[in-house]
Amino acid sequence: MKKITAVTMCMVLFLTMLSGCKGAAPATGKEAFADMEPVTIKYAHAIPEGELMNYMIEDWMAAVTERSDGKITFDYHPAGELGTFVEIIEQVDLGAVDMSSGEPSLYEPWCPEVSMLYAPLICDSYEHLGRCIYGKPGELIEQSMAENNNTYILDWVYSGARVIASTRPLRTLEDMKGLIIRSPESQVYIDTFTLLGMSPTPMAMTEMYSAIQQGVVEACDCPAQAIYEGGYHKITGNVCKTRHMYALGTLSVNQEFWDGLPEEARVMMLEVWDELKGDFNKRVQDSEEEYYTKFEAEGTLVTEFEDREAFREIAEPYWNEKAASVGGRAPEILKEINALR
């Protein structure tokens, strides 16, 4: 672990850049990189092919290379080439991979506070979610991550409201009782599915399709886009609009690698990400209804979750229990999330 003073100085630098205070920032046009030594960034993730997040990443890398006049290039390893989401998180923390994007709930073993963003039904809408990740709750999580690990979370984007694909129709909590569902390898998901009355089975996403085919599990949860592009609706036949949590994507980086980059490179890369994320977030939101239409056109039964208020009554006490058990900044994060409703 780094000394807290060093971490604080690094956090002040990139949080200042994220906040838009660019008055003292160096120039980031191509001329700013004329004397920079070329850098190749090893970038890896386990996001399946076809998911929207891939377009965000690829557009960002292309723009960074163009804006740096070719001085920053990428050694890119998508779709799990270097391992599962969790394995790549470990590689970034160790410095074997420089940068990554993925599901931030899987940072829970490294930064337990991140689980507060994934507590069931804790975010009311995309608008509420945006106020949280781009406001105080997101900043508090970024600080905790930086202080206790060798990884920075530089920024966030939407990945979609999570829904459930299952081998039987779901509408109520009663329908969900005993359903064997694949769970991401994160405690907050296991807790969520348990609250819903299901039987969660943790496994990597790469194993999910075959597990459903073989009857090892009966359901999975993902954003609608990921379910459709992965073909999970074809082997389950049902999709329920539970919207039990909102998935996110991150831009994450090894601390030592990031701190070693020239300041103009860091500023420029964050500016490019910031320029792209608004349109990307809108694209994620707009695509959801399109995917429900595609499900129905292909014969998948799409249902609404009728017991949302009943589930919320169960979920709210869990938020407080989770914040108390996580400790650290978690109670403050929960307070800020509630204040932003």
Side-chain angles (χ1 to χ4, degrees):
M1 185 186 301
K2 295 177 181 290
K3 293 181 179 178
I4 186 66
T5 52
V7 168
T8 301
M9 289 175 65
C10 295
M11 287 298 299
V12 167
L13 172 64
F14 84 80
L15 288 176
T16 297
M17 291 187 287
L18 284 174
S19 69
C21 301
K22 310 233 174 18
T28 57
K30 290 183 180 181
E31 69 280 358
F33 300 94
D35 297 324
M36 177 180 160
E37 290 294 320
V39 174
T40 298
I41 297 174
K42 189 173 184 179
Y43 199 119
H45 64 70
I47 301 165
E49 293 180 5
E51 289 200 20
L52 289 176
M53 187 67 186
N54 288 290
Y55 301 112
M56 174 72 181
I57 295 164
E58 290 163 10
D59 289 348
W60 177 77
M61 290 191 300
V64 166
T65 298
E66 191 278 332
R67 202 167 296 186
S68 68
D69 203 21
K71 290 297 182 72
I72 300 174
T73 56
F74 293 86
D75 176 18
Y76 185 43
H77 299 273
E81 283 184 10
L82 299 186
T84 65
F85 281 117
V86 171
E87 289 167 345
I88 293 173
I89 289 171
E90 292 171 343
Q91 291 173 56
V92 172
D93 205 52
L94 293 170
V97 168
D98 300 321
M99 301 188 82
S100 183
S101 292
E103 172 62 70
S105 67
L106 298 175
Y107 285 122
E108 191 171 2
W110 290 265
C111 178
E113 287 97 329
V114 78
S115 63
M116 296 312 302
L117 285 175
Y118 284 82
L121 302 186
I122 200 164
C123 287
D124 299 329
S125 63
Y126 277 112
E127 291 73 22
H128 183 213
L129 175 67
R131 291 192 292 271
C132 291
I133 60 176
Y134 301 128
K136 188 72 174 208
E139 290 177 8
L140 291 169
I141 291 168
E142 290 162 8
Q143 290 169 20
S144 292
M145 187 72 182
E147 288 173 0
N148 296 302
N149 303 282
N150 293 316
T151 300
Y152 291 139
I153 296 174
L154 297 178
D155 209 352
W156 317 73
V157 289
Y158 301 164
S159 188
R162 295 186 78 98
V163 298
I164 296 175
S166 64
T167 55
R168 66 180 189 238
L170 303 175
R171 294 181 179 86
T172 67
L173 292 172
E174 185 65 29
D175 293 337
M176 296 177 181
K177 283 186 178 179
L179 186 74
I180 304 171
I181 186 168
R182 173 264 174 182
S183 171
E185 299 164 284
S186 173
Q187 188 60 45
V188 71
Y189 281 94
I190 296 170
D191 293 345
T192 296
F193 297 139
T194 301
L195 285 172
L196 283 164
M198 299 180 182
S199 178
T201 301
M203 67 176 63
M205 193 170 184
T206 51
E207 302 171 15
M208 191 161 74
Y209 194 94
S210 61
I212 296 171
Q213 275 188 319
Q214 296 166 13
V216 176
V217 297
E218 302 168 286
C220 63
D221 89 310
C222 282
Q225 187 261 346
I227 289 174
Y228 183 84
E229 298 298 343
Y232 299 105
H233 63 297
K234 295 179 180 179
I235 55 173
T236 58
N238 301 275
V239 171
C240 181
K241 299 181 185 179
T242 51
R243 300 186 182 98
H244 48 283
M245 58 179 68
Y246 287 90
L248 294 163
T250 57
L251 177 66
S252 60
V253 64
N254 176 269
Q255 286 187 10
E256 292 179 7
F257 173 79
W258 184 253
D259 294 344
L261 290 173
E263 185 179 359
E264 60 268 24
R266 286 177 283 168
V267 172
M268 180 271 289
M269 286 193 282
L270 289 175
E271 285 180 344
V272 173
W273 186 271
D274 197 56
E275 290 167 8
L276 294 173
K277 73 183 181 186
D279 287 342
F280 177 78
N281 286 345
K282 185 176 186 304
R283 183 179 179 183
V284 169
Q285 294 177 74
D286 291 347
S287 71
E288 288 190 348
E289 288 305 319
E290 296 172 10
Y291 280 106
Y292 294 131
T293 299
K294 289 180 179 180
F295 288 140
E296 291 174 335
E298 295 183 16
T300 299
L301 177 64
V302 178
T303 58
E304 292 284 348
F305 182 40
E306 299 170 2
D307 283 358
R308 194 170 186 83
E309 287 306 312
F311 184 38
R312 188 182 176 91
E313 290 178 8
I314 300 170
E316 283 196 37
Y318 171 80
W319 304 345
N320 295 303
E321 293 166 9
K322 186 70 174 177
S325 65
V326 167
R329 292 185 171 96
E332 184 180 1
I333 291 167
L334 176 58
K335 180 180 177 182
E336 294 292 339
I337 290 172
N338 285 328
L340 290 169
R341 294 187 190 282

